[in-house]
Amino acid sequence: MKITVKLFAFFRQDRFKEEERRYPDTTTVTDVIQGLGIAVDEVGVTMINSRHCALDSSLKAGDVLAIFPVIGGG
Amino acid sequence: MADKIFRVNMTDLTTSVEEVPADWAGHGGRGLTSTIVAAEVPPTCHPLGPNNKLVFAPGLLSGTAAANSGRLSCGAKSPLTGTIKEANAGGTSAQLLAKAGCKALIIEGQPKDDNWYSLHITPGNITLNKEEEVVGKGNFDVVETLTERLGKPMGIITIGPAGEMKMAAANVSVKDPDGKIRSCGRGGLGAVMGSKRVKFISVDSMDGKVEIADPDKFREANKTFAKALVDHPVSQALGTYGTNVLVNIINESGGLPTRNFSSGQFEGHEEISGETMHDLIKERGGRVKHNCHKGCVIQCSQVFNDAKKKYKTSGFEYESIWALGADCAVDNLDHIAEADHLLDDIGIDSIETAVAIGVAMEAGVLEFGDGEGLVRILREEVAKGTPLGRIIGAGAATVGRAYGVTRVPVVKNQAIPAYDPRAIKGIGITYATSTQGADHTMGYTIATNVLGVGGSVDPLSKEGQVELSRNLQIATAAIDSTGMCLFIAFAALDDTTCLPALIDLINARFGISLTGDDVVSLGKYILKTEHDFNTAAGFTKEDDRLPEFFSLEPVAPHNVVWDFEGEEIDTFWDF
Ligand code: SF4
């Protein structure tokens, strides 16, 4: 299935900003993170289609997955 | 230097240095400005009249070696909201005031003539002088002229043209270590300073030092505290991308108010994001990291250069970039930087002014997306005080009224900042219940609603939001009393060594033994003191509401409205 993956802040270094990628049907958020060589404990927030999601959430075709490191501001 | 209260009466042009009343001794920063305003300002007075008082107070730890402790609180009754107000900023003055033994500076009364004045503070002493040379000048010119005149680096607290014109969005501006500007931005305190006819305050601490009751304990606690700050990943991201790292995540969450709050996502978000800004800063030889005062170990500030690699602005914050950017649909970071620079120079709140321009765009005064037009309005209208400039300088609510706009994002007349309360509901509770009008910093639920710091509470559900906002508002009131920058809160929420170390610092400084519970009580006392002032000024729970359009107009992409009932909001005060 096709998933759009968006990366932010330093996760973009040597990777990409946004890419449409192919994954097997039973892929979870953690699978995508690990597949990109990102350490799971560096991940702060993940969202599927603009809604916060757990790391073990399953993805479905057409989802937009956004992966952020731990960030803050205000 | 022993701490004293410095007082200036502008009616009879006298000054005095007084002992600290016992009730005030345990307070600093916001706790002290609010205590003094509540004790001495009649709540129903006109904010720009002789009965209002402008109060400055460094935090409890300002002037010491404690990391991130250099914030200066400024308080009064606000001409924008009519409520009590505290705004704080970095810069060098908090540390210098503390070293000069100034626990608080109270400016009261009003001159009967049209002269302008300046104040000069040295250890144990304050003088009042007539001022002509820098009157009418912008902030950068004021700082440059005074640095030359004074002949050595000093603290400078000043107002720009906006403050002189008593615009309700005017800042009190504070010189930073590089001679640039930090702002006590919200609520028009610069107009209060202008109404007192004080153009600037200079601070020379000479060889003054803050006394520490237990230096060894203090040093130990500071080590632990600074380590907790430096180690927290949020601090590291702040040092790299600044607060503007938020543009993309708030946009992704659907809570980035766009085109005067008509959508929750901005198609130009990438152009104005922290990531883009970081790359531009590097490319143009600016500085990615920078601190607003000595001793900050987080360094969220930065120096942003223009395309010719010349200095354009610093302290380029998310909320300013959001307001000038997404809210006005401007996707050109150079236009936004130019506007940010002008706002610093004019001395006017970047949030209030830009949201006011967003409302003016909705009214058709200029087009959404017109960055050049926005810069022109600041330079030609606001800075010069033309009728349009004064309407904008009076804030978003005034623009809405002048042009008959119904989508006016304000609470208690103060512009709502960078997070849409329909899509991030906790922050809506903070906007509604804050004692000072809409202000994200009063109880930053974004940490928990969006960023996953301090736990997580679903931003789209009503569940848990009132409690979240209440706990954060109590904690924030206490932190605002210490002189600490609020960005220590990320480490405080996650790292169990951080808050105890902060309390140890206060105890070692004063030789006392506060506990965590005392700190919570302090926060509650501050909120209640402020709330009581507002009640006496005529505010009721019906003022703790968001504008109607938030419950009528669903915001994309989640297509949600603000759905809290009044009674649910009112439970905020059950403590
Ligand atoms: S983190 Fe930012 S706002 Fe806070 S003290 Fe440092 S530079 Fe100033």
Side-chain angles (χ1 to χ4, degrees):
Chain A
M1 60 179 176
K2 280 188 187 161
I3 304 285
T4 302
V5 179
K6 296 184 185 176
L7 300 178
F8 298 91
F10 55 84
F11 287 169
R12 287 179 176 181
Q13 281 161 23
D14 304 321
R15 295 193 189 90
F16 54 87
K17 257 189 223 177
E18 179 171 340
E19 235 174 55
E20 202 180 59
R21 298 166 70 91
R22 286 196 165 278
Y23 289 97
D25 281 353
T26 55
T27 303
T28 66
V29 173
T30 304
D31 296 335
V32 175
I33 293 169
Q34 287 173 338
L36 290 166
I38 294 172
V40 176
D41 62 2
E42 286 194 352
V43 174
V45 172
T46 48
M47 294 184 209
I48 300 174
N49 305 327
S50 289
R51 294 286 282 132
H52 288 74
C53 63
L55 290 174
D56 59 4
S57 307
S58 309
L59 292 157
K60 52 181 190 343
D63 277 348
V64 178
L65 172 65
I67 305 169
F68 300 86
V70 183
I71 54 176
Chain B
M1 281 306 297
D3 291 340
K4 301 273 190 235
I5 303 294
F6 291 48
R7 195 182 286 272
V8 185
N9 184 316
M10 296 305 297
T11 306
D12 53 22
L13 304 176
T14 56
T15 65
S16 60
V17 175
E18 305 163 3
E19 293 304 321
V20 179
D23 290 1
W24 298 359
H27 291 296
R30 174 175 168 194
L32 187 54
T33 62
S34 287
T35 296
I36 295 176
V37 171
E40 299 197 355
V41 174
T44 52
C45 75
H46 195 293
L48 302 179
N51 286 327
N52 199 6
K53 301 192 183 193
L54 186 67
V55 183
F56 291 92
L60 289 167
L61 291 169
S62 301
T64 71
N68 285 56
S69 62
R71 305 284 296 190
L72 177 67
S73 287
C74 178
K77 174 170 172 167
S78 160
L80 182 72
T81 63
T83 63
I84 200 166
K85 174 62 64 179
E86 183 265 1
N88 61 68
T92 59
S93 288
Q95 291 165 327
L96 298 174
L97 281 170
K99 288 180 182 171
C102 179
K103 187 167 176 71
L105 164 65
I106 304 173
I107 305 174
E108 58 194 30
Q110 200 156 52
K112 297 187 185 73
D113 56 29
D114 299 335
N115 293 322
W116 283 96
Y117 295 88
S118 71
L119 302 174
H120 184 61
I121 290 181
T122 52
N125 197 33
I126 174 164
T127 52
L128 177 69
N129 300 293
K130 235 188 230 171
E131 176 61 32
E132 281 171 9
E133 187 186 12
V134 300
V135 174
K137 286 191 194 291
N139 279 327
F140 291 106
D141 202 352
V142 170
V143 167
E144 209 171 293
T145 306
L146 291 180
T147 304
E148 203 160 296
R149 189 202 295 174
L150 300 169
K152 65 188 235 193
M154 287 186 200
I156 298 172
I157 302 166
T158 176
I159 53 172
E164 290 186 32
M165 289 186 273
K166 293 182 275 187
M167 290 179 176
N171 294 341
V172 168
S173 305
V174 186
K175 184 178 93 106
D176 83 357
D178 300 327
K180 302 297 192 244
I181 297 298
R182 307 294 297 194
S183 315
C184 297
R186 307 240 54 201
L189 295 175
V192 180
M193 190 153 149
S195 78
K196 306 291 181 209
R197 310 289 292 180
V198 174
K199 173 69 178 175
F200 73 87
I201 301 158
S202 48
V203 188
D204 182 358
S205 63
M206 301 164 88
D207 51 7
K209 271 204 183 71
V210 169
E211 288 162 15
I212 307 281
D214 186 342
D216 290 338
K217 189 173 157 197
F218 192 91
R219 221 171 296 120
E220 264 323 291
N222 196 26
K223 242 190 255 162
T224 311
F225 181 68
K227 184 169 180 333
L229 297 188
V230 174
D231 286 351
H232 197 275
V234 166
S235 307
Q236 291 164 12
L238 278 172
T240 309
Y241 299 100
T243 58
N244 200 32
V245 72
L246 291 177
V247 165
N248 280 337
I249 192 165
I250 303 300
N251 183 73
E252 190 67 26
S253 80
L256 188 76
T258 299
R259 290 189 169 71
N260 188 35
F261 287 73
S262 58
S263 167
Q265 286 182 325
F266 179 41
E267 64 285 1
H269 66 94
E270 198 57 59
E271 280 72 25
I272 65 169
S273 69
E275 287 90 338
T276 301
M277 184 170 100
H278 170 265
D279 294 349
L280 266 183
I281 289 174
K282 285 198 130 170
E283 202 178 294
R284 295 172 175 183
R287 279 163 65 191
V288 168
K289 269 189 188 197
H290 175 251
N291 53 17
C292 74
H293 70 266
K294 217 172 96 202
C296 162
V297 296
I298 300 176
Q299 306 197 45
C300 78
S301 181
Q302 56 295 105
V303 175
F304 183 89
N305 289 346
D306 64 17
K308 293 187 189 121
K309 303 196 170 183
K310 275 188 56 192
Y311 173 89
K312 182 48 72 181
T313 195
S314 55
F316 203 17
E317 302 255 6
Y318 165 65
E319 282 74 15
S320 310
I321 293 169
W322 157 77
L324 295 159
D327 195 50
C328 293
V330 173
D331 62 5
N332 179 318
L333 211 43
D334 284 311
H335 291 155
I336 297 172
E338 180 69 38
D340 191 58
H341 173 77
L342 285 168
L343 291 160
D344 275 350
D345 198 38
I346 299 165
I348 193 161
D349 183 16
S350 55
I351 297 176
E352 191 67 43
T353 309
V355 173
I357 293 176
V359 176
M361 285 176 163
E362 168 121 16
V365 175
L366 70 168
E367 302 256 317
F368 278 111
D370 182 1
E372 278 168 11
L374 190 160
V375 167
R376 190 198 64 77
I377 285 203
L378 293 177
R379 189 179 282 132
E380 304 295 329
E381 312 278 355
V382 180
K384 294 184 179 157
T386 65
L388 174 61
R390 282 179 183 267
I391 289 172
I392 289 173
T398 298
V399 174
R401 222 169 283 133
Y403 287 93
V405 177
T406 53
R407 194 186 297 124
V408 183
V410 298
V411 178
K412 301 183 179 75
N413 277 328
Q414 182 164 284
I416 292 181
Y419 314 89
D420 198 299
R422 289 164 289 193
I424 311 174
K425 294 194 193 291
I427 201 71
I429 297 293
T430 296
Y431 296 154
T433 55
S434 141
T435 51
Q436 319 206 1
D439 185 337
H440 62 291
T441 66
M442 291 284 138
Y444 192 65
T445 71
I446 307 306
T448 311
N449 279 160
V450 181
L451 306 173
V453 177
S456 85
V457 172
D458 180 359
L460 290 178
S461 152
K462 296 205 288 185
E463 189 77 34
Q465 307 291 8
V466 172
E467 196 189 354
L468 174 66
S469 174
R470 185 195 297 128
N471 290 341
L472 287 169
Q473 290 200 52
I474 291 168
T476 301
I479 290 175
D480 282 345
S481 301
T482 60
M484 287 291 158
C485 154
L486 201 49
F487 295 153
I488 68 146
F490 292 103
L493 284 166
D494 280 347
D495 183 333
T496 50
T497 65
C498 183
L499 218 45
L502 176 56
I503 296 170
D504 284 346
L505 279 168
I506 299 172
N507 288 338
R509 152 88 163 93
F510 294 99
I512 52 177
S513 45
L514 291 181
T515 63
D517 287 348
D518 295 329
V519 175
V520 173
S521 307
L522 172 68
K524 288 181 179 172
Y525 152 82
I526 294 168
L527 291 187
K528 294 221 158 143
T529 301
E530 293 172 346
H531 191 238
D532 289 349
F533 180 95
N534 294 345
T535 304
F539 286 85
T540 70
K541 58 187 185 194
E542 300 308 323
D543 295 297
D544 289 356
R545 303 289 182 259
L546 297 191
E548 187 187 29
F549 81 88
F550 284 117
S551 38
L552 298 178
E553 299 174 15
V555 67
H558 298 300
N559 296 316
V560 282
V561 293
W562 175 251
D563 50 359
F564 271 96
E565 301 295 332
E567 300 84 70
E568 294 173 293
I569 298 173
D570 297 338
T571 61
F572 175 87
W573 287 104
D574 296 345
F575 65 86

